[in-house]
Amino acid sequence: MLRSFRRPSHKRSPIKDRPLRNPGQSLDEAIGRLIDEDFSAIISVAALCIVLTAYEWWRWYANVRPHPVVVSFSCGLFFTYCIFRLIKLKTQLKTLKVARDGEKAVSQYLERLRADGYQVFHDVIGQNFNIDHVVIGENGIFTIETKTYSKPIQGKAHIHFDGDSITANGYKIDRNPVVQSRAQAGWLGTQIQESTGRRYQVQPVVVFPGWFITSRTDAARRSGVWVLNPKGLSKFIDNAPQRLAPEEVRLVSYHLSRYIRTHEA
């Protein structure tokens, strides 16, 4: 006998575990905060200045003891400040969007690895930092830091890695990505060891979408850090020696997914 579906009086979500994070989610959240908080506040102040100034000039026109000069001067200062802040925020917003799009583009390359049995995680949150991507498979554990920089309209777009620092068309990059990627790999290795009781080597990787990489030097090879164009990442991973058994891939992936979901909670 068929019975009609009756909604329970006490409800709960059918989703048991929180979903894993999306590529570029931290940057999407930063963009949202920038729009919701900073832009909205500045636009509100600017609108208030316009309303007050218009009101004072209306009082002057209606011959109701106006003081438009004082109000106009004060609002003019606020309005000028708002314009400069909006210009700065627009630049920050553009930078965040470029970085987010770069992470999403790299994630599309990484998704192809799933067919070969690799586990791929995005936007793993640490303490005051995040790892853009983590790849886990029989050939190892990889942390991937994406650096998306605008390219010159004409001419070369070369990234050079000397084993210690990275330059873009001859200009040294701020906040050395090599140091950053090593720190991320070290942190992830510690997290995995604490949760599984086993110690695994983690390979740090830095990728630059759209740039030509020149790092084939002995110093670069000895550095222990891969600096690549994301198009070549799958080849490097495939050529790496096997380091994990299939059950170890499942173990590490499970513990990392639990960490991510716990952090989200």
Side-chain angles (χ1 to χ4, degrees), residues 179-191:
V179 176
Q180 183 182 3
S181 63
R182 284 173 177 161
Q184 292 174 353
W187 175 86
L188 182 62
T190 300
Q191 292 296 321

Side-chain angles (χ1 to χ4, degrees), residues 132-206:
D132 295 337
H133 316 279
V134 175
V135 175
I136 303 172
E138 293 185 18
N139 287 14
I141 304 170
F142 308 86
T143 59
I144 300 166
E145 174 65 20
T146 302
K147 294 298 183 184
T148 310
Y149 295 112
S150 298
K151 296 166 56 177
I153 297 176
Q154 294 180 343
K156 64 180 182 179
H158 286 184
I159 293 290
H160 179 69
F161 175 43
D162 62 7
D164 182 52
S165 60
I166 299 175
T167 56
N169 280 350
Y171 294 95
K172 194 171 183 178
I173 295 176
D174 295 333
R175 296 182 60 190
N176 192 339
V178 176
V179 176
Q180 183 182 3
S181 63
R182 284 173 177 161
Q184 292 174 353
W187 175 86
L188 182 62
T190 300
Q191 292 296 321
I192 293 173
Q193 184 177 4
E194 290 178 352
S195 60
T196 66
R198 303 180 185 182
R199 187 172 183 176
Y200 295 99
Q201 178 181 345
V202 180
Q203 174 65 53
V205 184
V206 185

